[in-house]
Amino acid sequence: MSASTRQYRPETRLVHAGTLRSQFGETSEALYLTQGFVYDSAEQCEARFKGEDPGFQYSRFANPTVDMFEKRIAAFEGAGAARATATGMAAVTLSLLGQLKAGDHVVASKAMFGSCRYVIEDFLPRYGVPSTLVDGGDLDQWRAAVRPNTKAFFLESPTNPTLDVIDIGEVAKIAHAAGATLTVDNVFATALWQSPLELGADCVVYSATKHIDGQGRCLGGVVLGSEKFIQDNIHILLRQTGPSMSPFNAWVLLKGLETLAVRVERQTKTAAALADALAGHPRITRLIYPGRADHPQAAIVKKQMRAGSTLVAFEIAGGKAAAFRFQNALALVRISNNLGDAKSLITHPATTTHQRLTEAARAELGITDGFVRYSAGLEHPDDLVEDVLTALKAV
Ligand SMILES: Cc1ncc(COP(=O)(O)O)c(C=O)c1O
């Protein structure tokens, strides 16, 4: 965080932290769309490469616009440092690869975004890093999964798509007692409503593609932690392997950060209004919203989240056919697999984000054929509630 913004509240840091003004004194941050940089002399170039002369060398390593994005989000999150990546999956993969080597073991909650599960369940074991998936809500399962070589725990909370909430502080304690770290995918909560590092996690990852952009324009990701965590695990790996964020995307996402708090506050209120409107609806067999008292882990929500979520999940009576009829009958809410967007979006996880899982694995996670995930946008809440209630009549 820059010295000039450290004393301000998170929402203020979202607007000002990390700003690097050029000699022109621009109001809006400059887009440094360049692959690299030139040097005044061969001596300066040598010194830059030795790390003796501060400045930029090559945009795979660092870039002023990307740097502004990293500093701003680190300031918002309350993290020591951040590194931006091309996508959220690059952030997840980097966070794990950076900490692990062949022979280590990972424990993760089985309820997570399909690609994250692929990385942990299928990809890491190919490189000699076995993993154990547990029911994230059962602390005994985390304890029982620990092996002498366990180096990292990974979870997301609320989970995608069933919005289960896992006790981050308690899982962090189990990880640390085992000599392991905890990485949290905080996409569904956003940094506005949940601070995993304060709760005890060592690393936080985001798909910036979601609420950070919030307007469906570009992909991005970010890994956050203490300065030491980032230096020890992420810094060199990112520079040398190159899943770096483009300066253009960093500029879009930097501008996205400026409006994140107002967007997420409004989207959360809308999601809560929709959840209340759907509660007790005869065609809905299960309704999950982290902001409601009837959420299965309401006590943990209260303990670790500052508000609910911009997402609501619900199961429609009648299985896949009914869920498809419902989606097709929506006039305003669009069918898409993204979330956190200005436009309200509906997803059928069983046939999209989680189609790779077996039917049994989906059933274990509560992803039934009638289950849908709704991401609240910035439309007027009454229009959205009317659209959803009208579409339910078509089921
Ligand atoms: C919880 C979660 N983590 C990670 C990702 C991956 O992000 P990206 O699509 O930006 O690679 C997603 C994307 O849907 C997600 O929902």
Side-chain angles (χ1 to χ4, degrees):
M1 196 185 314
S2 80
S4 59
T5 58
R6 199 177 295 132
Q7 72 273 27
Y8 296 115
R9 291 168 183 79
E11 290 83 348
T12 306
R13 292 182 225 153
L14 270 180
V15 181
H16 292 284
T19 301
L20 290 171
R21 284 211 165 82
S22 79
Q23 72 274 30
F24 301 115
E26 60 280 352
T27 311
S28 176
E29 295 74 1
L31 166 52
Y32 293 94
L33 196 57
T34 175
Q35 53 67 36
F37 304 85
V38 295
Y39 312 95
D40 292 337
S41 65
E43 288 75 16
Q44 188 193 40
C45 180
E46 182 186 27
R48 193 74 58 83
F49 271 78
K50 278 185 172 165
E52 291 165 0
D53 180 60
F56 296 93
Q57 294 149 272
Y58 191 53
S59 289
R60 168 154 52 79
F61 299 172
N63 168 284
T65 312
V66 179
D67 190 73
M68 285 191 262
F69 170 72
E70 291 172 343
K71 291 211 164 56
R72 189 167 291 178
I73 188 148
F76 181 48
E77 187 79 41
R83 288 295 179 274
T85 54
T87 65
M89 282 321 301
V92 168
T93 308
L94 198 68
S95 74
L96 291 165
L97 288 182
Q99 299 185 63
L100 298 164
K101 60 179 184 334
D104 291 342
H105 169 245
V106 180
V107 185
S109 161
K110 64 178 76 153
M112 60 185 146
F113 175 56
S115 300
C116 298
R117 188 155 160 172
Y118 166 78
V119 168
I120 290 171
E121 199 176 20
D122 299 289
F123 179 74
L124 290 179
R126 280 170 38 196
Y127 297 91
V129 181
S131 53
T132 306
L133 295 184
V134 298
D135 172 352
D138 182 345
L139 296 177
D140 286 336
Q141 286 196 26
W142 289 97
R143 283 187 201 100
V146 169
R147 298 180 192 168
N149 57 341
T150 302
K151 287 284 153 39
F153 278 24
F154 184 93
L155 65 84
E156 78 188 31
S157 181
T159 61
N160 182 2
T162 47
L163 307 182
D164 289 317
V165 172
I166 299 173
D167 192 326
I168 295 172
E170 289 304 313
V171 175
K173 279 188 210 154
I174 299 168
H176 295 158
T181 59
L182 172 63
T183 296
V184 174
D185 182 335
N186 206 33
V187 161
F188 273 52
T190 80
L192 193 66
W193 301 145
Q194 182 167 274
S195 304
L197 298 176
E198 276 173 24
L199 295 167
D202 305 276
C203 177
V204 182
V205 289
Y206 289 98
S207 164
T209 318
K210 310 294 184 296
H211 303 86
I212 294 173
D213 175 11
Q215 289 162 80
R217 297 164 295 191
C218 63
L219 296 161
V222 61
V223 186
L224 299 113
S226 67
E227 180 72 43
K228 179 170 168 32
F229 180 93
I230 296 293
Q231 281 301 331
D232 289 354
N233 302 295
I234 309 298
H235 179 72
I236 295 294
L237 187 65
L238 174 66
R239 289 167 73 115
Q240 303 301 347
T241 62
S244 321
M245 179 180 279
S246 115
F248 183 82
N249 286 9
W251 183 81
V252 173
L253 296 165
L254 187 62
K255 303 312 287 178
L257 283 178
E258 290 184 349
T259 57
L260 181 127
V262 281
R263 285 186 285 106
V264 170
E265 268 172 34
R266 163 70 179 249
Q267 288 166 293
T268 302
K269 281 192 189 137
T270 298
L274 184 78
D276 289 344
L278 291 180
H281 191 288
R283 291 194 170 95
I284 304 271
T285 45
R286 187 158 48 114
L287 171 75
I288 314 165
Y289 182 64
R292 281 178 59 88
D294 58 9
H295 185 277
Q297 297 90 31
I300 305 174
V301 173
K302 208 165 168 194
K303 188 167 90 168
Q304 71 186 26
M305 295 182 72
R306 291 179 282 276
S309 165
T310 63
L311 293 121
V312 186
F314 46 98
E315 185 183 61
I316 298 166
K320 180 178 166 186
F324 273 31
R325 276 199 299 278
F326 167 70
Q327 289 185 97
N328 292 333
L330 289 163
L332 185 58
V333 179
R334 305 315 308 246
I335 302 169
S336 173
N337 45 300
N338 200 24
L339 61 99
D341 199 271
K343 295 179 173 64
S344 283
L345 304 173
I346 196 91
T347 307
H348 184 248
T351 52
T352 59
T353 53
H354 291 71
Q355 55 84 21
R356 198 187 63 82
L357 300 184
T358 61
E359 209 173 324
R362 280 199 297 273
E364 194 184 19
L365 297 173
I367 306 172
T368 57
D369 286 349
F371 193 79
V372 293
R373 183 190 80 190
Y374 166 81
S375 168
L378 292 173
E379 303 91 340
H380 194 289
D382 293 349
D383 285 332
L384 295 166
V385 169
E386 280 163 26
D387 194 34
V388 170
L389 293 180
T390 307
L392 278 172
K393 287 188 191 140
V395 167

